[in-house]
Amino acid sequence: MHYLISDIDSNRSFSLERSTQYVDIGEALAAIEAKQVEDVLLCDAKLMDQSIPELPADLEMFDLLHSGLSLGARQTLSSLWLTSTNWFFLDPPAHKQCTSWKATPAFCWLRPPAVRDLGGFDRAYQSPVMQLMDLAYRILMAGGRVCHQPLPFVLPDLSDLAPKIPLVDELLFVYRHVGCSAALYVAFWKSILTHRPLYVLRSLQEARRKFLSVSAPIPSSQLEINWHTLNTDEYQYVDSVSAIIPTINRYSYLPQAIDSLLKLDPQPQEIIVVDQTPAVERQMEIYSSYQNNPKIRVFYLDEAGQSIARNVAIKVARCRWCLLFEDDTVAWDNLLAEHIRVLEHSGAVASTGVSLAPWKKVEHIPPGIRMYRVADVLATGNCLARKDALLAVGGLDQAFDHGSGADNDLGLRLYMAGYETITNPKAIETHYKAAKGGMRTYGAWWRNHATIWGAYPQATQVYTIRRYYPKQFWLPLYLLYYIKAWKQMSLLQYVWLWISLPWKLGRSIHAARKLLPTFIQNDK
């Protein structure tokens, strides 16, 4: 197999005349790391016999571009599905441009300066292909933009191009990016699922040896790396915004939420309140002070649920963009301005902000989300998203009407549809987390909250696992919730959780099965 490295000229084109050929992909990666040029194209020489995909006109928006999902990288590294339900570990469709870090050397455009800024390729991996994927993942997590570019043709045979990742590299990736306990958990289940315990044990030992003996690449200061997730140019115009507030019996909080939006500069063009409070408990006088404000629109809904309420508002919204907000929050002064700035300068379809408790300040924002980067979480209480994208994925899933996880599910489906969401650490709101009303009406508190005899995990979490993951991964992912629950429980509560597991998990699975017809109905 031969690989070509081509320098990119000022017209963003490449040619064989400017290409250097390598037989060993490891040597090709070393050459890229050393190159003193702005960007290069790495590709398999066989693809030169096909119609090489053109580099997009907006290439300046990217930090790494590849066609890995079209070239056999789909379903690789499935071991990661045993570690979490992070949507970055799932594969969007290969037929459209989308966020994906599963780059392969068969076709990959990248920036050598960015490679060096992140400390170079991680040569602890046996496979150079895994070195490239690891680099792409590190770029994505550090704030860069990494995308899959679909091929303009279908290859009849991917056997030569499809990456073959050894298990030791999969486990090393888990050690590097998820954690040591996660690597042990993966090894345990891989030995069961593959029926090769000795092979898995040897791979785990080798991965652990490399993890302990070979240091991970050390990046330069985050502030010194020039990523391209946000650019100086404007790629779209956010011209009008409809703010959406679903509410149930939180009249003591709702006015301050509305008023905080009216104090913004710029203001949303309209504020849609969907009141789902039972008719006998409604306090319509709350809205009397807004009756002369044409921006405030109130809808009463007898069928209560967080997803259906937001879906109703999205459909009646008059504006092109929807600000998803909550009834027990207060927007900081620049919340909407920051959302708009990020969307206009990134070209993304959604910007998701940060929620802080009343006593917290900016310094309390976790380090992992203090930078602008492509998001692997979404908050439906602080998110500005394009209306047509929300409608294209079917809005919010009504299976989550009375349970937690609607925001994660919406973000996941946007991701799987090829849309991009940006984490925005400067779009901040104060979240009061009201003790009653809202989701508390249905007994939904925190994801890891468990009562003595109640189902655990929540049925909506089991639903997510059964909808997006192959059946052999269901039980390992269910049990992850039990393993991680110790952080929120006392020792006695944690022991009882495991003793009552058959009852709790059985109830959760039973309830989740009832939610699956909702998913089928939503997708029609």
Side-chain angles (χ1 to χ4, degrees):
M1 190 174 292
H2 294 77
Y3 295 92
L4 301 175
I5 296 178
S6 175
D7 296 347
I8 309 299
D9 63 20
S10 58
N11 297 318
R12 289 297 188 237
S13 63
F14 53 90
S15 68
L16 284 172
E17 289 74 21
R18 294 194 306 274
S19 299
T20 305
Q21 183 168 295
Y22 295 85
V23 176
D24 181 72
I25 180 59
E27 292 181 3
L29 296 184
I32 289 173
E33 189 173 333
K35 270 188 170 291
Q36 300 299 314
V37 295
E38 178 60 29
D39 49 357
V40 298
L41 178 70
L42 170 67
C43 69
D44 190 296
K46 286 184 177 180
L47 286 185
M48 287 297 183
D49 297 331
Q50 304 285 340
S51 175
I52 290 290
E54 293 184 3
L55 295 174
D58 55 355
L59 197 61
E60 71 279 357
M61 295 177 65
F62 303 99
D63 295 288
L64 188 148
L65 199 69
H66 64 91
S67 297
L69 298 182
S70 299
L71 295 168
R74 288 183 61 82
Q75 308 302 315
T76 58
L77 300 171
S78 60
S79 296
L80 294 176
W81 298 345
L82 296 165
T83 66
S84 76
T85 53
N86 186 312
W87 67 58
F88 277 169
F89 295 160
L90 295 172
D91 296 319
H95 66 274
K96 60 173 65 175
Q97 189 181 89
C98 59
T99 298
S100 173
W101 52 273
K102 291 187 178 179
T104 69
F107 185 86
C108 182
W109 171 90
L110 65 166
R111 301 175 184 267
V115 178
R116 293 190 291 272
D117 285 341
L118 282 182
F121 294 99
D122 190 344
R123 291 181 172 81
Y125 294 105
Q126 292 180 6
S127 167
V129 178
M130 189 65 239
Q131 294 178 24
L132 181 60
M133 287 188 181
D134 175 85
L135 173 79
Y137 183 78
R138 285 187 285 130
I139 291 175
L140 189 61
M141 299 307 292
R145 176 176 266 149
V146 179
C147 279
H148 160 80
Q149 178 80 0
L151 292 176
F153 53 84
V154 177
L155 291 174
D157 183 15
L158 292 176
S159 57
D160 290 341
L161 296 176
K164 298 176 178 60
I165 308 297
L167 180 58
V168 63
D169 280 356
E170 291 192 47
L171 291 169
L172 179 57
F173 185 92
V174 176
Y175 267 118
R176 290 277 204 236
H177 300 291
V178 187
C180 297
S181 58
L184 294 173
Y185 192 71
V186 168
F188 171 78
W189 282 104
K190 289 292 284 189
S191 64
I192 294 174
L193 296 173
T194 63
H195 307 290
R196 300 177 64 189
L198 293 180
Y199 166 70
V200 173
L201 179 59
R202 286 194 295 268
S203 298
L204 178 67
Q205 291 173 333
E206 179 62 12
R208 185 175 185 276
R209 184 191 66 79
K210 290 188 174 186
F211 173 68
L212 295 175
S213 62
V214 183
S215 298
I218 300 175
S220 58
S221 171
Q222 195 63 50
L223 298 177
E224 297 175 2
I225 302 178
N226 180 29
W227 298 122
H228 297 78
T229 302
L230 266 64
N231 291 276
T232 55
D233 295 336
E234 292 184 357
Y235 297 104
Q236 59 186 345
Y237 179 51
V238 180
D239 51 355
S240 58
V241 174
S242 297
I244 294 171
I245 307 177
T247 185
I248 301 179
N249 207 2
R250 283 185 175 166
Y251 296 111
S252 60
Y253 290 89
L254 182 60
Q256 66 179 358
I258 296 174
D259 292 343
S260 73
L261 294 177
L262 292 173
K263 293 176 183 177
L264 295 176
D265 183 18
Q267 294 181 6
Q269 276 62 40
E270 63 175 356
I271 299 174
I272 302 172
V273 179
V274 183
D275 193 332
Q276 309 150 79
T277 306
V280 296
E281 300 176 23
R282 287 175 186 162
Q283 301 177 25
M284 299 182 186
E285 64 275 10
I286 286 290
Y287 305 108
S288 59
S289 61
Y290 305 107
Q291 61 185 2
N292 295 324
N293 189 332
K295 288 189 174 186
I296 311 299
R297 302 169 66 195
V298 181
F299 295 83
Y300 293 100
L301 195 64
D302 292 328
E303 182 182 356
Q306 61 170 335
S307 296
I308 190 173
R310 287 189 171 99
N311 287 343
V312 166
I314 291 169
K315 289 177 181 177
V316 302
R318 297 166 178 161
C319 300
R320 185 166 173 258
W321 295 85
C322 295
L323 176 65
L324 304 180
F325 205 63
E326 290 188 311
D327 57 3
D328 60 346
T329 58
V330 170
W332 288 27
D333 292 343
N334 61 346
L335 178 141
L336 186 54
E338 281 296 333
H339 277 312
I340 291 173
R341 185 181 71 85
V342 164
L343 290 171
E344 290 184 340
H345 289 272
S346 69
V349 303
S351 166
T352 184
V354 175
S355 296
L356 295 177
W359 57 274
K360 289 186 176 181
K361 299 180 180 180
V362 173
E363 293 75 22
H364 291 92
I365 297 176
I369 56 173
R370 288 181 186 173
M371 70 186 86
Y372 300 108
R373 68 175 179 90
V374 179
D376 56 358
V377 295
L378 184 143
T380 49
N382 183 5
C383 177
L384 182 60
R386 213 170 64 206
K387 177 179 175 177
D388 63 348
L390 296 174
L391 294 175
V393 299
L396 284 83
D397 189 341
Q398 288 181 225
F400 296 88
D401 265 342
H402 301 158
S404 65
D407 42 8
N408 177 76
D409 179 80
L410 177 61
L412 192 160
R413 284 186 289 116
L414 287 169
Y415 169 79
M416 294 297 284
Y419 294 116
E420 190 178 60
T421 301
I422 303 296
T423 295
N424 188 339
K426 293 187 178 180
I428 305 172
E429 66 181 12
T430 298
H431 192 184
Y432 288 91
K433 297 185 186 254
K436 68 175 185 176
M439 295 297 293
R440 313 289 183 260
T441 305
Y442 311 106
W445 293 82
W446 318 117
R447 286 192 178 188
N448 293 311
H449 177 77
T451 59
I452 293 178
W453 293 108
Y456 189 85
Q458 290 186 28
T460 48
Q461 294 168 303
V462 171
Y463 166 85
T464 296
I465 292 169
R466 295 170 78 94
R467 177 173 178 180
Y468 295 106
Y469 294 88
K471 190 172 184 178
Q472 65 265 33
F473 293 91
W474 291 357
L475 181 58
L477 287 172
Y478 297 159
L479 295 181
L480 266 183
Y481 284 107
Y482 285 81
I483 293 172
K484 294 179 179 180
W486 69 269
K487 298 178 181 179
Q488 288 80 28
M489 297 181 179
S490 67
L491 178 60
L492 184 60
Q493 289 173 323
Y494 190 60
V495 170
W496 172 248
L497 183 71
W498 280 94
I499 292 174
S500 59
L501 182 150
W503 166 262
K504 290 180 175 294
L505 182 57
R507 288 192 62 184
S508 187
I509 292 172
H510 179 72
R513 285 173 178 160
K514 294 181 179 179
L515 297 176
L516 289 173
T518 306
F519 148 58
I520 295 171
Q521 182 179 356
N522 286 352
D523 278 15
K524 286 183 179 180

